[in-house]
mmCIF file of all heavy atoms in Angstrom:
data_model
loop_
_atom_site.group_PDB
_atom_site.id
_atom_site.type_symbol
_atom_site.label_atom_id
_atom_site.label_comp_id
_atom_site.label_asym_id
_atom_site.label_seq_id
_atom_site.Cartn_x
_atom_site.Cartn_y
_atom_site.Cartn_z
ATOM 1 N N CYS A 19 -2.812 7.282 -7.103
ATOM 2 C CA CYS A 19 -1.923 7.575 -8.220
ATOM 3 C C CYS A 19 -1.160 6.306 -8.589
ATOM 4 O O CYS A 19 -0.995 5.416 -7.756
ATOM 5 C CB CYS A 19 -0.943 8.691 -7.854
ATOM 6 S SG CYS A 19 0.148 8.272 -6.488
ATOM 7 N N SER A 20 -0.730 6.211 -9.802
ATOM 8 C CA SER A 20 0.159 5.147 -10.270
ATOM 9 C C SER A 20 -0.119 3.779 -9.646
ATOM 10 O O SER A 20 0.597 3.336 -8.759
ATOM 11 C CB SER A 20 1.615 5.562 -9.992
ATOM 12 O OG SER A 20 2.500 4.617 -10.534
ATOM 13 N N GLU A 21 -1.182 3.144 -10.091
ATOM 14 C CA GLU A 21 -1.613 1.826 -9.600
ATOM 15 C C GLU A 21 -2.062 1.880 -8.146
ATOM 16 O O GLU A 21 -3.116 2.385 -7.860
ATOM 17 C CB GLU A 21 -0.517 0.778 -9.787
ATOM 18 C CG GLU A 21 -0.139 0.550 -11.238
ATOM 19 C CD GLU A 21 1.068 -0.352 -11.376
ATOM 20 O OE1 GLU A 21 1.394 -1.084 -10.432
ATOM 21 O OE2 GLU A 21 1.665 -0.319 -12.444
ATOM 22 N N ASN A 22 -1.243 1.420 -7.199
ATOM 23 C CA ASN A 22 -1.654 1.318 -5.799
ATOM 24 C C ASN A 22 -1.119 2.454 -4.943
ATOM 25 O O ASN A 22 -1.169 2.365 -3.722
ATOM 26 C CB ASN A 22 -1.149 0.000 -5.194
ATOM 27 C CG ASN A 22 -1.667 -1.199 -5.950
ATOM 28 O OD1 ASN A 22 -2.436 -1.070 -6.884
ATOM 29 N ND2 ASN A 22 -1.231 -2.371 -5.546
ATOM 30 N N GLY A 23 -0.605 3.515 -5.543
ATOM 31 C CA GLY A 23 0.033 4.576 -4.770
ATOM 32 C C GLY A 23 -0.932 5.610 -4.222
ATOM 33 O O GLY A 23 -2.090 5.674 -4.587
ATOM 34 N N LEU A 24 -0.401 6.413 -3.275
ATOM 35 C CA LEU A 24 -1.135 7.526 -2.689
ATOM 36 C C LEU A 24 -0.266 8.780 -2.742
ATOM 37 O O LEU A 24 0.941 8.703 -2.513
ATOM 38 C CB LEU A 24 -1.464 7.247 -1.223
ATOM 39 C CG LEU A 24 -2.601 6.290 -0.926
ATOM 40 C CD1 LEU A 24 -2.691 6.041 0.571
ATOM 41 C CD2 LEU A 24 -3.912 6.813 -1.440
ATOM 42 N N CYS A 25 -0.878 9.926 -3.031
ATOM 43 C CA CYS A 25 -0.155 11.184 -3.018
ATOM 44 C C CYS A 25 0.030 11.655 -1.581
ATOM 45 O O CYS A 25 -0.931 11.698 -0.816
ATOM 46 C CB CYS A 25 -0.929 12.241 -3.805
ATOM 47 S SG CYS A 25 -1.032 11.883 -5.559
ATOM 48 N N ARG A 26 1.268 11.983 -1.214
ATOM 49 C CA ARG A 26 1.576 12.468 0.128
ATOM 50 C C ARG A 26 2.618 13.569 0.042
ATOM 51 O O ARG A 26 3.289 13.729 -0.955
ATOM 52 C CB ARG A 26 2.152 11.329 0.974
ATOM 53 C CG ARG A 26 1.193 10.230 1.182
ATOM 54 C CD ARG A 26 1.594 9.411 2.355
ATOM 55 N NE ARG A 26 0.524 8.440 2.567
ATOM 56 C CZ ARG A 26 0.688 7.265 3.082
ATOM 57 N NH1 ARG A 26 1.865 6.885 3.469
ATOM 58 N NH2 ARG A 26 -0.312 6.461 3.243
ATOM 59 N N LEU A 27 2.782 14.295 1.156
ATOM 60 C CA LEU A 27 3.823 15.311 1.218
ATOM 61 C C LEU A 27 5.197 14.661 1.169
ATOM 62 O O LEU A 27 6.118 15.186 0.553
ATOM 63 C CB LEU A 27 3.675 16.142 2.490
ATOM 64 C CG LEU A 27 2.427 17.021 2.557
ATOM 65 C CD1 LEU A 27 2.302 17.644 3.939
ATOM 66 C CD2 LEU A 27 2.467 18.083 1.493
ATOM 67 N N GLU A 28 5.332 13.516 1.836
ATOM 68 C CA GLU A 28 6.616 12.813 1.887
ATOM 69 C C GLU A 28 6.349 11.333 2.140
ATOM 70 O O GLU A 28 5.487 10.980 2.944
ATOM 71 C CB GLU A 28 7.471 13.383 3.023
ATOM 72 C CG GLU A 28 8.868 12.844 3.068
ATOM 73 C CD GLU A 28 9.707 13.513 4.134
ATOM 74 O OE1 GLU A 28 9.373 14.640 4.544
ATOM 75 O OE2 GLU A 28 10.689 12.896 4.554
ATOM 76 N N CYS A 29 7.067 10.459 1.448
ATOM 77 C CA CYS A 29 6.886 9.016 1.628
ATOM 78 C C CYS A 29 7.438 8.582 2.990
ATOM 79 O O CYS A 29 8.423 9.117 3.469
ATOM 80 C CB CYS A 29 7.601 8.241 0.528
ATOM 81 S SG CYS A 29 6.893 8.484 -1.104
ATOM 82 N N TYR A 30 6.798 7.584 3.581
ATOM 83 C CA TYR A 30 7.277 7.004 4.828
ATOM 84 C C TYR A 30 8.482 6.115 4.533
ATOM 85 O O TYR A 30 8.756 5.789 3.382
ATOM 86 C CB TYR A 30 6.194 6.165 5.501
ATOM 87 C CG TYR A 30 4.955 6.950 5.915
ATOM 88 C CD1 TYR A 30 3.696 6.516 5.582
ATOM 89 C CD2 TYR A 30 5.084 8.122 6.655
ATOM 90 C CE1 TYR A 30 2.568 7.229 5.976
ATOM 91 C CE2 TYR A 30 3.968 8.828 7.058
ATOM 92 C CZ TYR A 30 2.718 8.386 6.704
ATOM 93 O OH TYR A 30 1.605 9.095 7.089
ATOM 94 N N GLY A 31 9.181 5.699 5.577
ATOM 95 C CA GLY A 31 10.358 4.842 5.408
ATOM 96 C C GLY A 31 10.043 3.494 4.784
ATOM 97 O O GLY A 31 10.871 2.915 4.097
ATOM 98 N N SER A 32 8.834 2.981 5.010
ATOM 99 C CA SER A 32 8.442 1.676 4.478
ATOM 100 C C SER A 32 7.843 1.779 3.073
ATOM 101 O O SER A 32 7.394 0.793 2.519
ATOM 102 C CB SER A 32 7.421 1.023 5.408
ATOM 103 O OG SER A 32 6.255 1.816 5.478
ATOM 104 N N GLU A 33 7.857 2.989 2.494
ATOM 105 C CA GLU A 33 7.276 3.197 1.170
ATOM 106 C C GLU A 33 8.347 3.623 0.166
ATOM 107 O O GLU A 33 9.428 4.059 0.535
ATOM 108 C CB GLU A 33 6.209 4.271 1.227
ATOM 109 C CG GLU A 33 5.021 3.896 2.061
ATOM 110 C CD GLU A 33 4.016 5.011 2.173
ATOM 111 O OE1 GLU A 33 4.401 6.195 2.099
ATOM 112 O OE2 GLU A 33 2.837 4.702 2.346
ATOM 113 N N MET A 34 7.994 3.489 -1.108
ATOM 114 C CA MET A 34 8.917 3.854 -2.177
ATOM 115 C C MET A 34 8.279 4.925 -3.051
ATOM 116 O O MET A 34 7.081 4.842 -3.368
ATOM 117 C CB MET A 34 9.251 2.639 -3.018
ATOM 118 C CG MET A 34 10.245 2.890 -4.101
ATOM 119 S SD MET A 34 10.642 1.342 -4.897
ATOM 120 C CE MET A 34 10.852 1.915 -6.542
ATOM 121 N N LEU A 35 9.046 5.932 -3.412
ATOM 122 C CA LEU A 35 8.586 6.985 -4.309
ATOM 123 C C LEU A 35 8.576 6.449 -5.722
ATOM 124 O O LEU A 35 9.587 5.966 -6.220
ATOM 125 C CB LEU A 35 9.526 8.197 -4.201
ATOM 126 C CG LEU A 35 9.316 9.320 -5.202
ATOM 127 C CD1 LEU A 35 7.981 10.001 -4.959
ATOM 128 C CD2 LEU A 35 10.454 10.320 -5.105
ATOM 129 N N VAL A 36 7.415 6.482 -6.392
ATOM 130 C CA VAL A 36 7.318 5.955 -7.754
ATOM 131 C C VAL A 36 7.007 7.047 -8.782
ATOM 132 O O VAL A 36 7.240 6.847 -9.968
ATOM 133 C CB VAL A 36 6.260 4.826 -7.852
ATOM 134 C CG1 VAL A 36 6.729 3.616 -7.091
ATOM 135 C CG2 VAL A 36 4.911 5.286 -7.374
ATOM 136 N N ALA A 37 6.450 8.187 -8.343
ATOM 137 C CA ALA A 37 6.112 9.267 -9.267
ATOM 138 C C ALA A 37 5.839 10.535 -8.452
ATOM 139 O O ALA A 37 5.924 10.515 -7.224
ATOM 140 C CB ALA A 37 4.897 8.907 -10.087
ATOM 141 N N TYR A 38 5.522 11.593 -9.153
ATOM 142 C CA TYR A 38 5.137 12.845 -8.487
ATOM 143 C C TYR A 38 3.717 13.206 -8.878
ATOM 144 O O TYR A 38 3.298 13.009 -10.011
ATOM 145 C CB TYR A 38 6.092 13.983 -8.862
ATOM 146 C CG TYR A 38 7.421 13.908 -8.138
ATOM 147 C CD1 TYR A 38 8.528 13.343 -8.742
ATOM 148 C CD2 TYR A 38 7.534 14.384 -6.844
ATOM 149 C CE1 TYR A 38 9.728 13.258 -8.078
ATOM 150 C CE2 TYR A 38 8.739 14.303 -6.162
ATOM 151 C CZ TYR A 38 9.827 13.745 -6.788
ATOM 152 O OH TYR A 38 11.010 13.656 -6.115
ATOM 153 N N CYS A 39 2.978 13.747 -7.917
ATOM 154 C CA CYS A 39 1.603 14.208 -8.141
ATOM 155 C C CYS A 39 1.663 15.731 -8.344
ATOM 156 O O CYS A 39 2.737 16.317 -8.358
ATOM 157 C CB CYS A 39 0.734 13.872 -6.944
ATOM 158 S SG CYS A 39 0.728 12.131 -6.498
ATOM 159 N N MET A 40 0.485 16.337 -8.432
ATOM 160 C CA MET A 40 0.440 17.798 -8.541
ATOM 161 C C MET A 40 0.963 18.451 -7.287
ATOM 162 O O MET A 40 0.978 17.847 -6.220
ATOM 163 C CB MET A 40 -1.001 18.257 -8.796
ATOM 164 C CG MET A 40 -1.547 17.832 -10.147
ATOM 165 S SD MET A 40 -3.252 18.338 -10.369
ATOM 166 C CE MET A 40 -3.092 20.103 -10.415
ATOM 167 N N PHE A 41 1.391 19.693 -7.383
ATOM 168 C CA PHE A 41 1.879 20.498 -6.255
ATOM 169 C C PHE A 41 3.098 19.858 -5.582
ATOM 170 O O PHE A 41 3.283 19.977 -4.374
ATOM 171 C CB PHE A 41 0.784 20.758 -5.217
ATOM 172 C CG PHE A 41 -0.443 21.395 -5.801
ATOM 173 C CD1 PHE A 41 -1.623 20.677 -5.916
ATOM 174 C CD2 PHE A 41 -0.420 22.706 -6.248
ATOM 175 C CE1 PHE A 41 -2.760 21.263 -6.444
ATOM 176 C CE2 PHE A 41 -1.557 23.295 -6.778
ATOM 177 C CZ PHE A 41 -2.704 22.566 -6.887
ATOM 178 N N GLN A 42 3.923 19.142 -6.325
ATOM 179 C CA GLN A 42 5.150 18.501 -5.851
ATOM 180 C C GLN A 42 4.905 17.502 -4.729
ATOM 181 O O GLN A 42 5.754 17.283 -3.869
ATOM 182 C CB GLN A 42 6.174 19.548 -5.420
ATOM 183 C CG GLN A 42 6.644 20.411 -6.569
ATOM 184 C CD GLN A 42 7.694 21.413 -6.147
ATOM 185 O OE1 GLN A 42 7.906 21.663 -4.970
ATOM 186 N NE2 GLN A 42 8.364 21.982 -7.126
ATOM 187 N N LEU A 43 3.733 16.880 -4.709
ATOM 188 C CA LEU A 43 3.474 15.793 -3.767
ATOM 189 C C LEU A 43 4.083 14.515 -4.316
ATOM 190 O O LEU A 43 4.275 14.373 -5.515
ATOM 191 C CB LEU A 43 1.960 15.608 -3.572
ATOM 192 C CG LEU A 43 1.218 16.774 -2.947
ATOM 193 C CD1 LEU A 43 -0.278 16.513 -2.962
ATOM 194 C CD2 LEU A 43 1.691 17.042 -1.537
ATOM 195 N N GLU A 44 4.411 13.585 -3.448
ATOM 196 C CA GLU A 44 5.051 12.341 -3.867
ATOM 197 C C GLU A 44 4.021 11.220 -3.956
ATOM 198 O O GLU A 44 3.160 11.095 -3.090
ATOM 199 C CB GLU A 44 6.140 11.956 -2.881
ATOM 200 C CG GLU A 44 7.255 12.965 -2.809
ATOM 201 C CD GLU A 44 8.336 12.613 -1.809
ATOM 202 O OE1 GLU A 44 8.125 11.688 -0.986
ATOM 203 O OE2 GLU A 44 9.387 13.248 -1.848
#
């Protein structure tokens, strides 16, 4: 998602939330 991002349930501490995916994934 969004360039180099990955959809996850919750972002890790070393990651930044940049958008939302389907089903309220980050």
